[in-house]
Amino acid sequence: RSGEEMADPEAINGKAWAARRGKTEPGFIVYGPYTPLEKGRYLILFRLKRLSEGKGIVATLDTCVGGGNPITSSRQVRAEELPVGRYRSFLLTTDHPGGGIETRVIWWGNADLAVDEIVLWETL
């Protein structure tokens, strides 16, 4: 919905999705994939990098049933948790009720942000 692709040799596939102050509207910058999953417990790893100085909440990470309701897990990421220029991974666990799953990154506009990848695993 907003943001732009950027070349990044530190990203897993050499590219990341970036949100930058003055260029990107705050809000949902990554969402999907709406993949149907069985009811169960899942681990979701979000790989992010702060691209500029900033303070406060940089992003909210969440999971939900496709379409946004109900939200099944959520976590805020603050600037001090995310060093400038270095990727860091953040883990969420969710008890997914079944159906399409959606993972989302909500960017608050407090520091430029790159999203490298989001990986999902089913727990046993």
Side-chain angles (χ1 to χ4, degrees):
R1 183 147 103 173
S2 64
E4 62 188 7
E5 186 177 85
M6 66 175 247
D8 185 350
E10 296 173 344
I12 300 298
N13 292 310
K15 295 179 185 174
W17 193 255
R20 299 180 190 275
R21 290 180 281 191
K23 291 180 83 177
T24 306
E25 285 281 322
F28 294 97
I29 59 168
V30 175
Y31 52 92
Y34 311 108
T35 301
L37 295 177
E38 296 293 320
K39 178 180 178 178
R41 189 161 185 81
Y42 294 87
L43 303 174
I44 300 91
L45 192 68
F46 294 77
R47 190 167 188 254
L48 311 173
K49 175 168 63 172
R50 184 162 51 108
L51 301 172
S52 70
E53 293 301 322
K55 293 195 278 188
I57 299 168
V58 176
T60 300
L61 314 175
D62 73 17
T63 62
C64 57
V65 174
N69 193 14
I71 293 173
T72 56
S73 65
S74 181
R75 183 198 197 287
Q76 292 184 330
V77 177
R78 300 187 60 78
E80 56 269 18
E81 297 178 271
L82 198 54
V84 174
R86 203 166 122 214
Y87 278 104
R88 179 151 294 161
S89 296
F90 297 89
L91 180 68
L92 290 180
T93 58
T94 183
D95 290 313
H96 184 64
I101 192 164
E102 185 176 3
T103 60
R104 305 185 297 189
V105 178
I106 305 159
W107 178 65
W108 295 101
N110 295 326
D112 297 349
L113 180 71
V115 179
D116 180 12
E117 71 174 355
I118 301 169
V119 181
L120 183 140
W121 295 276
E122 183 177 13
T123 64
L124 300 176

